[in-house]
Amino acid sequence: MFDSDKIFPPNPEFAKNARIKSMDEYYALMDEAKNDYEGFWKKYADEKIEWIEPYEKVLDETNAPFYKWFTNGKLNVTIQCIDRHLKDKADKTAIIFEGDRGDVQKITYETLAKEVNRFANLLKNRFDIKKGDRVVLYMPMIPQAVYAMLACARIGAIHSIVFGGFSAEALRDRIKDAKAKLVITADGAYRKSKPYLLKPVVDDALKDGIQSVEAVLVVKRNNEKIDWIEGRDHDYDELIKESSSECEPEIMDSEDPLFLLYTSGSTGKPKGVQHSQAGYILWAQMTMEWVFDIKEGDVYWCTADIGWITGHTYIVYGPLAAGTTTVLFEGVPTYPDAGRAWKMVQEHKITQFYTAPTAIRVLHKMGEDEPKKYDLSSLKVLGTVGEPIDPPAWMWYHEEVGGGRCAVVDTWWQTETGGHMISPLPGATPIKPSCATFALPGIMAEVIDKDGNPKEIGETGLLCITKPWPSMIRTIWGDHERFKKAYFSDAVKDGKAVYFSGDGAMVDKDGYITITGRVDDVINVSGHRLGTAEIEAAVAEDDKVAEVAVVGRPHPIKGESIFVFLVLKEGAVTEDIKSHINSLLSKEIGNIAKADDIVAVPGLPKTRSGKIMRRILRSIAKGEEIKQDISTLEDPSIVANIQEAVKQAV
Ligand code: WTA
C-alpha cells in the first residue's frame, strides 16, 4: 500500500557526484540568494553566459513589474546553444531525432550550426525577416522545427510556435495577434505510422488573408498531396540548397524578446507570453544542470511537444545551452505498443526522462509490466511536469521505470515562469511523492494570502513568487495592462505587487510545498491549459444555447476533463446538439478542447449580481456534496435541480 508519509531520500551513489549534493548545500545557496539577491544572479550570469558585451546592471526594478535583467548586455542565444560548443563538441550529437516509424537521425553540433545558419540566411535573404519580426511556426516534431526556432533566434526574429493540435481558427487568432510576417509549416508528419497533415490547416487559417503574412514556408515530411498557392507558398527543401551555412549572429540586447508563446488565462483570448534573451537562457541552462543534473555523456529525453513551453525550454533551449544530447521524438510513446518509450530508453541509453503525469498514467494502464522487458539501467533522473501526479502513478514511475534508484523530480512551473520554479533536486532533496517540494535556489516562492501574510501550515493559499527572477514573463504581447492585471494584481507583499501564478498551494510542517491546482478558471486537460472563457465562447456559438458554463472534472487519465453545463433556449439536449458542440470546440480551439460531458440544466447557479458560481458547478460535476453556502444565490433551489439533471444525464 502507498504510504503518503513515506520519504524517499536521494540515492547516495547518485548524490556523491551530483551538482547539488545535500540539503545543506541547497540551504547555503538559498541563503546566498536571500542575503545578496543580485550578487547571486550576477555570479551565474558571469559564469554561464557567453556575453558579446557585458551587462551593466543585474536587475532594474524602476519600472516594476516590467523588470529588466542584465541591462544593456549583448548576446545571442544561438552562441550559447551552439557556437560555443563547436570548440570542443563539434562532433557530439546535439539532437537524436526518432521518427514515428522508427527512423533515427543523429545531428551533431556542427551539423546543427550549419542547418541553423542555412535556415537563418533563408529567412533573412529570401523572406526579408529582420530583427523583431514575428514568425509563426506550425510544425510537427521534426529537426527542421528546431532549426527554425534557432534560425529566428540567430537573426533576432521572434518566433511564436502554435501547437500542431490547435485548429485553423486558433492558429489564425495567434498569427493575427502577433502580426506575423511568415508562417513556417510542414506538409504534415506521421503519427502511428499514418501520415497526417498540417499545411491544410495553415491554408484554412489564411483563407481570408491576413495582412501581415507575406509568405508560407513549407518543409516536406510525408510528401502527401497538398494545395500550393503560387507566390505565397515556398518549398523549404528547394530553397535551402542554395543557402549558405555561414551566418553571423545578430547582436541582441538582454531584454530583446526571444519568443512569444500563447497560453490560456482565466478570461478572454489567449495571451502572448513574451520571453527575453539573457534571463531566459540563463535559467534554462541552470535548471538543466540543477534539476536534471545534466553531465557530459548524458542523453536526455523530454517527451513534450515543441508547441508548449516544456518543449521550448526543455527540448531545445535548455538542453542545447547545457551542451547535452537531446532526443526529439515525432511519435507517441504508446505506438506500436506500450513499450515504445522504454525501448527508446534502452536503445538511446537515455539518462534523464521527462514527461507528463497523463502520459505516465496511460503507460501504466496500458503496459504495467512493459518496463521490465527493457534495460532501463541507463536512467538516472525521472521528471514530471504539467499537472499534479497522483501517488499510484508516482510509485509505478519510481519503482518500475526508475527501478527504485532514480529520483522522481515533480517540477512545478508555467509558460510564464520560463523554467522550473519548485522542484526536488535529485541529489539533495528527500522526496515526498506527488509533492513539488521546495523552491529552487534563487526562487522566492511563497504561499500567502492577498496581503502577503504567510498561510498557516496545511492551509491553502496563493502560490506567489515574491521576487522577480531572470526567466520571468516580460509582458503580454501588445497588452501591458493585461500583463499587470493578470499577474501583479492579486497579491501584495511589503507594499509591492508580487507575481501570482494562478495556482493554489500549501506548505506542510516540514516546509514542503504541494500544489493544489488552479484557483482561477483555467482547466488542465492532459497537461494542456485551457481557459473556461474560451471554451464557453465556442459553445455559445451554437444558436440553441442560451447560457453555458464550463468546469473541469477529475479524470483518471487526463487529470481533468471538460464538463459543459448548458441552458438551452428550448427542448432537451440531443446527440446532435452534443456533437455540434464538440465540433465547434474542435473548430474554434482544437480536438484537445472536446468535452467529455455535455449536460442540459434548467439554469446556472448565479449570485444576485449575476456571477456564475463555478465552484458549485465543479462540486456538482464531481458528484460531491455541496458544502458551500448557497444562500447568496439568486435562486438557491436551482442547485438541487442541476444536481438532478446531472444525475439523470451522467
Ligand atoms: C500546472 C507547464 C502540479 C499548474 C510547464 C500551472 C502543475 C500550469 C505542475 C502551467 C506540477 C505545472 N504539479 N501542477 N508539477 N506543473 N502545473 O503554462 O496549474 O502549460 O499553473 O506550463 O500547469 O501550465 P503551462
Side-chain angles (χ1 to χ4, degrees):
M1 257 316 276
F2 177 70
D3 172 3
S4 62
D5 288 334
K6 185 154 184 210
I7 292 186
F8 293 76
N11 177 337
E13 275 307 303
F14 178 87
K16 253 193 248 164
N17 298 312
R19 289 175 191 263
I20 300 179
K21 297 179 176 57
S22 65
M23 285 309 273
D24 285 346
E25 284 189 20
Y26 165 74
Y27 289 125
L29 285 169
M30 233 359 177
D31 283 344
E32 228 179 88
K34 282 183 182 153
N35 296 336
D36 177 10
Y37 196 61
E38 291 187 29
F40 174 87
W41 290 110
K42 180 179 188 311
K43 185 175 83 183
Y44 293 106
D46 292 350
E47 181 190 315
K48 309 253 173 220
I49 300 273
E50 185 115 343
W51 295 100
I52 298 173
E53 276 177 42
Y55 57 89
E56 287 163 11
K57 208 169 174 328
V58 173
L59 172 62
D60 177 355
E61 303 193 68
T62 39
N63 200 16
F66 299 93
Y67 296 100
K68 291 197 172 104
W69 284 89
F70 314 117
T71 57
N72 294 323
K74 306 289 179 232
L75 76 164
N76 187 293
V77 160
T78 63
I79 296 181
Q80 192 71 15
C81 291
I82 307 173
D83 302 47
R84 70 190 184 108
H85 303 314
L86 297 178
K87 283 172 248 140
D88 55 352
K89 292 184 187 164
D91 295 332
K92 175 172 174 168
T93 302
I95 300 172
I96 299 177
F97 169 67
E98 178 158 326
D100 172 73
R101 296 159 306 159
D103 44 317
V104 172
Q105 190 189 346
K106 294 192 175 168
I107 299 152
T108 63
Y109 272 95
E110 187 170 14
T111 306
L112 179 64
K114 289 188 175 149
E115 294 294 343
V116 168
N117 285 344
R118 279 199 188 98
F119 211 134
N121 281 323
L122 182 59
L123 296 181
K124 221 166 43 175
N125 302 333
R126 181 75 187 215
F127 299 102
D128 195 31
I129 303 293
K130 298 194 174 69
K131 179 172 174 175
D133 285 343
R134 275 80 59 211
V135 176
V136 163
L137 274 58
Y138 190 67
M139 294 285 277
M141 293 282 287
I142 56 175
Q144 288 85 353
V146 180
Y147 304 158
M149 291 167 82
L150 294 167
C152 288
R154 188 78 174 170
I155 62 172
I158 304 170
H159 61 70
S160 170
I161 308 187
V162 179
F163 171 57
F166 277 121
S167 69
E169 300 280 330
L171 175 60
R172 178 184 308 145
D173 290 347
R174 287 158 176 77
I175 297 172
K176 270 190 175 165
D177 191 79
K179 296 196 177 63
K181 200 163 159 182
L182 176 72
V183 179
I184 306 177
T185 189
D187 46 3
Y190 295 96
R191 187 183 296 127
K192 300 188 179 179
S193 285
K194 295 206 177 59
Y196 71 92
L197 292 173
L198 288 168
K199 168 73 163 50
V201 185
V202 174
D203 291 340
D204 195 10
L206 297 176
K207 70 175 185 295
D208 300 325
I210 295 179
Q211 219 179 5
S212 64
V213 176
E214 293 172 4
V216 175
L217 180 60
V218 185
V219 178
K220 299 274 174 61
R221 168 66 180 153
N222 58 21
N223 292 304
E224 290 292 301
K225 195 172 152 9
I226 48 172
D227 291 339
W228 200 258
I229 298 183
E230 282 310 323
R232 187 198 72 181
D233 296 346
H234 300 264
D235 184 341
Y236 166 85
D237 302 82
E238 274 304 310
L239 297 176
I240 202 73
K241 288 184 204 151
E242 298 153 19
S243 202
S244 151
S245 62
E246 306 270 319
C247 177
E248 281 301 307
E250 186 75 31
I251 296 173
M252 303 301 288
D253 189 274
S254 296
E255 282 295 315
D256 282 332
L258 175 63
F259 64 82
L260 309 179
L261 184 55
Y262 284 80
T263 190
S264 296
S266 51
T267 52
K269 57 178 186 142
K271 3 180 215 197
V273 171
Q274 182 180 318
H275 278 290
S276 73
Q277 310 269 336
Y280 172 81
I281 202 67
L282 174 64
W283 191 234
Q285 183 178 326
M286 286 174 69
T287 48
M288 281 303 296
E289 293 171 356
W290 281 348
V291 175
F292 294 120
D293 203 63
I294 282 290
K295 295 271 174 59
E296 199 44 53
D298 284 352
V299 180
Y300 161 93
W301 181 20
C302 164
T303 69
D305 188 280
I306 49 147
W308 305 112
I309 190 69
T310 306
H312 284 60
T313 311
Y314 296 111
I315 295 179
V316 181
Y317 288 111
L320 296 176
T324 195
T325 301
T326 180
V327 175
L328 182 74
F329 177 46
E330 180 190 35
V332 291
T334 49
Y335 182 83
D337 57 49
R340 175 68 178 269
W342 318 131
K343 184 162 177 266
M344 283 177 65
V345 169
Q346 171 178 293
E347 280 176 5
H348 301 302
K349 299 197 170 47
I350 286 164
T351 42
Q352 289 88 355
F353 179 70
Y354 191 32
T355 195
T358 191
I360 298 169
R361 289 190 290 266
V362 171
L363 290 166
H364 181 195
K365 188 159 172 249
M366 286 182 60
E368 186 157 8
D369 296 322
E370 284 297 315
K372 286 194 179 63
K373 299 182 189 163
Y374 299 91
D375 176 6
L376 305 182
S377 61
S378 56
L379 287 170
K380 298 192 288 189
V381 181
L382 300 173
T384 72
V385 56
E387 43 169 337
I389 175 161
D390 45 296
W394 194 96
M395 283 308 284
W396 180 76
Y397 198 34
H398 183 261
E399 299 304 316
E400 299 302 322
V401 180
R405 78 183 179 278
C406 303
V408 175
V409 294
D410 178 350
T411 63
W412 176 85
W413 61 295
Q414 310 178 290
T415 304
E416 293 86 344
T417 68
H420 301 147
M421 294 275 107
I422 304 177
S423 171
L425 294 164
T429 314
I431 295 175
K432 297 189 183 184
S434 307
C435 174
T437 72
F438 301 104
L440 291 173
I443 300 301
M444 304 302 162
E446 293 184 63
V447 179
I448 54 180
D449 66 16
K450 65 180 183 21
D451 301 316
N453 306 306
K455 281 287 188 176
E456 299 285 322
I457 286 166
E459 250 186 63
T460 304
L462 309 177
L463 176 55
C464 294
I465 315 292
T466 54
K467 264 182 180 297
W469 66 102
S471 67
M472 69 194 293
I473 173 176
R474 292 306 194 263
T475 189
I476 291 173
W477 179 254
D479 200 343
H480 301 318
E481 274 313 304
R482 190 171 175 203
F483 165 72
K484 278 207 263 192
K485 189 156 184 306
Y487 304 109
F488 289 90
S489 66
D490 293 278
V492 172
K493 197 188 167 204
D494 303 330
K496 237 180 166 170
V498 295
Y499 175 87
F500 170 49
S501 62
D503 279 315
M506 75 195 177
V507 181
D508 74 7
K509 61 179 190 341
D510 305 317
Y512 283 68
I513 303 171
T514 295
I515 315 298
T516 54
R518 302 288 305 196
V519 300
D520 56 8
D521 292 321
V522 169
I523 305 181
N524 194 331
V525 181
S526 302
H528 306 321
R529 247 170 96 167
L530 296 164
T532 51
E534 296 164 74
I535 304 171
E536 288 167 5
V539 174
E541 287 195 16
D542 184 315
D543 55 18
K544 297 195 179 62
V545 172
E547 283 188 289
V548 51
V550 167
V551 299
R553 175 195 202 188
H555 185 281
I557 298 288
K558 300 189 218 177
E560 275 188 296
S561 63
I562 294 171
F563 196 116
V564 178
F565 291 89
L566 289 179
V567 181
L568 292 172
K569 288 180 184 152
E570 54 181 10
V573 69
T574 60
E575 285 309 313
D576 273 358
I577 297 180
K578 285 189 194 175
S579 82
H580 184 239
I581 285 175
N582 266 329
S583 67
L584 279 171
L585 289 170
S586 90
K587 174 170 163 281
E588 295 293 323
I589 303 170
N591 284 335
I592 50 173
K594 281 191 177 168
D596 281 27
D597 298 279
I598 300 175
V599 175
V601 293
L604 297 172
K606 287 186 193 158
T607 59
R608 287 190 193 101
S609 59
K611 190 174 166 348
I612 297 172
M613 297 289 286
R614 284 205 184 67
R615 252 185 308 143
I616 294 178
L617 293 175
R618 274 198 285 270
S619 299
I620 296 176
K622 268 195 210 169
E624 252 175 25
E625 200 189 319
I626 307 290
K627 295 204 191 85
Q628 297 97 322
D629 175 17
I630 58 169
S631 64
T632 56
L633 292 181
E634 189 187 19
D635 171 14
S637 70
I638 197 75
V639 172
N641 292 336
I642 299 173
Q643 280 174 315
E644 188 50 37
V646 170
K647 214 191 282 163
Q648 297 293 329
V650 180

